[in-house]
Amino acid sequence: SAPGRFHRTPKGSSETELRFVHSADPHHGRTFGRFDETDRFRFARLEAIATLAPIARSQAAPHVLIAGDLFDTVNPATGTWRKAVAIMS
């Protein structure tokens, strides 16, 4: 099948199919030079996470895998992790 297209397993086949949407390293809470988390970068990262579930639903993928660092630090600010969790729930 072509890149970006899904292969459908024929009915009765012994093949197993695992469908998921993958994203990596959003680094919520990260600052970019003089820009802090109150700027457009925070909103862009949160918006990207918010699109994962609709994409998964549209592709009949029951799972979303976020690999790598979801947050930029091991102890993100309370507001940072609460916003990320709210968007993902």
Side-chain angles (χ1 to χ4, degrees):
S1 67
R5 312 269 293 159
F6 289 94
H7 167 72
R8 299 262 183 219
T9 303
K11 284 188 176 185
S13 172
S14 62
E15 293 181 28
T16 301
E17 179 178 87
L18 173 64
R19 292 167 109 18
F20 62 93
V21 171
H22 176 268
S23 180
D25 293 311
H27 284 271
H28 291 291
R30 182 176 183 175
T31 57
F32 291 88
R34 63 182 176 86
F35 302 104
D36 64 23
E37 277 298 292
T38 61
D39 292 303
R40 63 184 175 164
F41 296 107
R42 177 186 65 175
F43 297 112
R45 283 194 298 276
L46 291 173
E47 191 173 283
I49 291 295
T51 64
L52 294 175
I55 290 169
R57 281 192 293 275
S58 75
Q59 298 299 320
H63 309 286
V64 174
L65 170 65
I66 300 176
D69 299 318
L70 179 57
F71 300 104
D72 199 49
T73 66
V74 294
N75 294 316
T78 301
T80 300
W81 67 261
R82 281 188 178 168
K83 285 175 187 168
V85 169
I87 293 232
M88 291 185 282
S89 43

